[in-house]
Amino acid sequence: MTAAFWTVAETARQIATGQITASRLVDATLARIATVDRELGAFLDVDEAGARATAHELDRKRTAGEPLGPLAGVPIALKDNLVTKGIPTTAGSQILVGWIPPYDATVVEKLRAAGAVIVGKTNLDEFGMGSSTERSSFKQTRNPWDASRVPGGSSGGSAAAVAAGLCAASLGTDTGGSIRQPAAFTGVVGLKPTYGRVSRWGVVAFASSLDQVGPLARTVADAALLLEVISGHDPRDATSLAAPVPRYTAALAGGVAGLKVGLPREFFDGHGSGTIDADVRAALDRTIAMLRDQGAELVEVSLPHTPLALAAYYIVAPAEASSNLARYDGVRYGKRAEASDLLDLYRKTRGAGFGPEVKRRIMLGTYALRSGYYDAYYKKAQQVRALIKRDFEQAFTQVDVLLTPTTPTAAFRFGAKATPLDMYLGDIFTLSCNLAGLPGLSVPCGLTSEGLPIGAQLLGKPLDEATLLRVGAVIEREVGLGDRRPGAIA
Amino acid sequence: MTTLTRNEVEEIALLARLHLEPDELDRMQTDLGAILEHFVTLAAVDVTGVAPMTHAGAAATDMTLRADVPEPSLPVDEALRAVARRDGDLIVVPSIIPGNNS
Amino acid sequence: MTRTVAELLEVWEPVIGLEVHVQLATKTKAFSASAVGFGEPPNSLTDPVVLGLPGSLPVFNAAALELALRLGIATGSQIRTRSRFARKHYFYPDQPKGYQISQYDEPLCEHGHVDLILGCAVKRVRLTRIHLEEDAGKNTHVGAVSHVDLNRAGVPLVEVVSEPELTSAEEAAEFMRSLHRLVRWIEISEADMEKGQLRCDANVSIRPRGDHRLGTRTELKNINSFRHVQNAIDHEIARQLRIVSAGGQIERETRLWDAEAGQSASLRSKEEANDYRYFPDPDLPPLVVDSAMMANILRALPELPAARFERYQRMHGISPDDARTLVSDRSFAEYFDAACAAHPGEGSGRTIANWMLTELLGALNAEAKQLSQARMSPGMLSALVGLVENGTISGKIGKEIFAECYATGDPPLAIVLRRGVQQISDEGVLREIVERVVTAHPKQAEGFAAGKDGLFGFFVGAVMKETQGRANPILTSDLLHKRLGR
């Protein structure tokens, strides 16, 4: 196995035992990025100098016998909505072109403290708003399995980079499925933690009550390791949880015997205006059968308010987004337009700096928060959200974990979604999890007849990432992609 | 389709401080209308006695406060490094009065 | 026929409500650990949260909560055990996030009151609410541009909103003064209006007397001192009266007070069509206040001005005017209480109050000093009063001793002994002196006996001269009358 596709655990071991120096690994990684990413388009910024400096320091430490962290020498990529000190951060938007943050996000600090080598910032839908990375204002990212198709979004760059072996793992963010869906589309593992499990300090806010940072990796074990490093209470984030962080890596081997796995019927009978792709359905059926063979009990459950999730999400998220993006006015940072007066400054800066999808969501959110509309829209959506959460709580009295397809279809082609609504409808399976604040994991469970990856989604109780990872490990072992690698760009 | 008047779209664009070209306004009117139409499903839902879920999960009960201990401020040059227009250590913006800034 | 304001006020009643912003005396800002300061170099008190940088998040200051609660409890407000922060959206250069974190639907305090001491009585003015919010930066217009300094952005404030039940500009000014005194009294704010630590907006309307509905109100901004409060509101009332008496309608608008010009101007702009789009701030979980916290604060609250005002009259028989002066500042009241505690007794309060208000405050004012800078402690004042009351020194000498004690901080008794000015109250000694003096001036003695009353003072003066002013004046007078025959 080439170093490009080593797991995080393998990489860390190779570095720690001196079989490869961090500097050599970084060189190889950067060289591979330089060639492969020309077509892939996963990176917005590659921090060669920073990566080399970190690697150099690690090598010095190792030689001097100083202790190394659990991710020492491991090349990691970061979605470009994670604030990095001294490294340009754009959130995929023209409005932040040239912005160099004076501070690091908490997750970045934690990765660095663990010895990770940050190789660069990855492409995303602008401000996290999108499901295909087509909404990046800078470039297209391609799916390494099929260059005519999207890698998913909004963490498309992070997913593609991991799938194509340009880094050992990456971090993305998930507000309505933005880690899980691209993970499913690119055949990697993607985890959205329980809301509050991981600090949002330094995460460019999209929807404050929905956003979470999570890992994308090639194996479940890698995702568990990353999760261990980035989780924990942060006094700088008032919504972060005080609960202690378990050793997720220790909980993977349990198997599924005796576990109750729920199948929410609303996710399987093709609700919404799109039916589930036949190949996706087949892969899920195979997964279900396998789990049964492995000793799990499969139970049909119901989450009756599921059909409302799309509407609730597309009111709450844009409303919070319209508020969080009010700060982008060109006054203190970001690209400022020429203007004759203050009002002109605001309107032109934001009009020119934001892309169409972002503008659309800001408009939607502003609409929903207007006085006279607040009760019927935002407040109502938050109440429906409470009902959706209640559905899950009810289901979890009967089962330990839920299994669904991550997406109704595999990766679609560029330009395939004709209208915004078409794009939104693809998120129907991932949205509820964010609304309810629950953890969610996408694990590859097969390929379509066209050779495109399919993801199985596991949804868990609050703070029960351990069960998700345990079940995910079984799926990975039994019906995962094994050694198969993307063929189109690699 | 939920009708959004062109006027409403312009009002919202003003509230959100977004300059939209006429064709953008047209598209926005269509797109928003279609999306809002989809939200009609929410109107019928009975939410009597349901508290709005403004925070997710445990965050609703955990409250963090901060001790009143000062930490070093950002040095002025770092704080203002990204400012497009400065006058010494002050941030400069055009005045609020239209046409006053030549 | 045009009528005067006074005539119009017979028919029309002004209705005033105040919204007062008080800067809380914390070391750091409301939502981040950036220091609070005044007069610092521009943009030197910032951090990612204050600047509203992408990815920054607010965490609330525990001290700000404590201080706000103290005010809530001191005003007898209902405290919400779970209150919420809300985002108030508007675009302005001094508002980095494009929204202010404030409170809307569920404020920390409601339905409290502020007690005004007007003349002899206490008038209780009701409050609608007190809520927490963060301050904006400073935006200064300089020709065609504005300069923005964010040092003040994020400073914690409480907004105190009165019910619209102030009935005159004078009352409004008194409300401001009372609130100013209260927040300083309970040490939650320096409330220096010149530093912008206490700011007020006034909502003014008029209605026919006897009508209970509220008329259209205008909002007055840019009121920067107590004097402005009265002038600006008086001016606005007169402006509204003129309009209605000419048959016009009051427009709902915001007006900026221009103190130099002595008038207000309408603030008409697109900015005014503001829909703040309030919603609960998702970055901040509900603010929880428990009963233990509130009990501690209640226990630690000092006796408040209005209560002391009444107690001083009731317990010490002090006049309302004097009582009002004693409670105009907490340091006065504490000094007075300490002096009284050191010198209990019937009527001692009144005596101590007299000495404080005439001698002590007079001396301090002459030097433009604060009471905290006085070298004379409450104990010393009460000792001095004691020395006069028990006859050790006369009242006249007492004033001299006061002056020296004030200047040096030496204990009064030590000064008395050092100067040897103890009062002579020994009858025997005094009788001898009286005898000597009368014998030495036979002509005057005859004159007095013959009816020249004014000569009595001559003899008193002579005795005083003999005794370096130490003779007990009452005894002296008695003995002289006896010796002189009338």
Side-chain angles (χ1 to χ4, degrees), chain A residues 272-273 307-312 314-315 377 421 424-425 428, chain B residues 1-2 32-43:
Chain A
S273 74
L308 300 170
L310 188 73
Y314 276 101
I315 289 172
Y377 286 95
L421 201 52
Y424 300 165
L425 286 166
I428 45 175
Chain B
M1 182 161 107
T2 303
L32 289 183
I35 296 167
L36 288 171
E37 181 65 25
H38 193 86
F39 297 161
V40 166
T41 47
L42 284 190

Side-chain angles (χ1 to χ4, degrees), chain C residues 7 31 80 101 114 142 166 168 184 233 263-264 269 278 288 351 353 377 410 416 424 428 433 443:
Chain C
E7 286 169 336
F31 294 105
R80 209 178 231 94
I101 301 178
V114 169
V142 181
L166 297 163
S168 69
R184 289 171 57 86
I233 295 176
Q263 59 187 24
S264 65
S269 75
Y278 287 99
V288 172
T351 317
S377 70
D410 288 342
V416 166
I424 300 172
I433 297 172
K443 262 221 191 97

